[in-house]
């Protein structure tokens, strides 16, 4: 990760803050470039910094005692990392790393929590995102229990597309197997099945979204409810 200069905020939470609330921590806010696989929050450790992505995507990952990992949520420019900070926790329960490279801002966790303690309006904005994120996580669990791999893949691609500017998502089958918590052969079959519908085109290390409406049909009830809920909260 490296420092860079950014002219304005694209992060939706930062852009919604009043000047007074932003001034509570803006002096500590540092622009940063994120690379793929950068570990932002290690599980079980003290949270050192708070992050606001402008571009790119971060994966929130749960790990079993034997080391098996699965993605339970994703965060992009709509939110902040880590919501545990907003809840007053000093320790991260889950690992968060960069899934897709981009840029954003960070500040010391202590500075952010001090700002939260000083402003009810700042805290309200951040808690709104935390609530929306919890709904996303619950629907990810529901999808894992009730949807086919094909539908889960379509849902995941739509969620990634919502958080990026383009239609191309850098992604390998190996990484998708972690994100969807399925074996690599299952991912390959699902990608091929979705590609056969014309919704996507799979390149080497890249998935191009060609028809979002078809992806929505494939995802079915797995996509839409958390997004509508988040829009209602922020609106």
């Amino acid at each position: 990760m490296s420092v860079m200069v950014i002219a304005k905020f694209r992060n939706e939470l930062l852009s919604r803050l009043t000047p007074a609330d932003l001034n509570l921590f803006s002096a500590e806010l540092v622009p940063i470039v994120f690379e793929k696989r950068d570990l932002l929050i290690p599980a079980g450790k003290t949270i050192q910094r708070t992050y606001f992505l402008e571009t790119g995507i971060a994966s929130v990952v749960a790990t079993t005692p034997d080391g098996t990992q699965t993605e339970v949520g994703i965060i992009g420019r709509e939110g902040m990392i880590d919501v545990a900070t907003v809840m007053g926790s000093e320790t991260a329960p889950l690992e968060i790393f960069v899934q897709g490279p981009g840029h954003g801002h960070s500040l010391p966790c202590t500075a952010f929590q001090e700002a939260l303690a000083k402003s009810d309006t700042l805290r309200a904005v951040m808690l709104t995102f935390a609530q929306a994120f919890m709904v996303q996580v619950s629907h990810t669990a529901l999808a894992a229990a009730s949807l086919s791999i094909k539908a889960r893949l379509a849902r995941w691609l739509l969620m990634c597309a919502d958080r990026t500017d383009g239609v191309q998502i850098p992604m390998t089958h190996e990484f998708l197997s972690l994100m969807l918590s399925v074996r690599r052969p299952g991912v390959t079959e699902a990608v091929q099945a979705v590609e056969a519908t014309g919704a996507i085109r799979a390149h080497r290390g890249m998935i191009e979204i060609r028809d979002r409406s078809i992806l929505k049909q494939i995802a079915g009830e797995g996509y839409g409810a958390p997004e509508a809920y988040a829009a209602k909260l922020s609106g």
Side-chain angles (χ1 to χ4, degrees), residues 47-67:
I47 303 172
Q48 299 292 334
R49 300 193 70 83
T50 299
Y51 299 92
F52 297 89
L53 274 62
E54 301 267 334
T55 62
I57 302 172
S59 290
V60 183
V61 176
T63 306
T64 64
D66 67 359

Side-chain angles (χ1 to χ4, degrees), residues 49-50 52 57 60 74 77 88 92 97 102 108 121 132 144 149 153 165 172 181 186-187 202 226:
R49 300 193 70 83
T50 299
F52 297 89
I57 302 172
V60 183
I74 64 176
R77 62 190 176 206
F97 64 86
T121 53
I149 300 175
L153 172 62
D165 293 320
T172 64
S181 191
V187 170

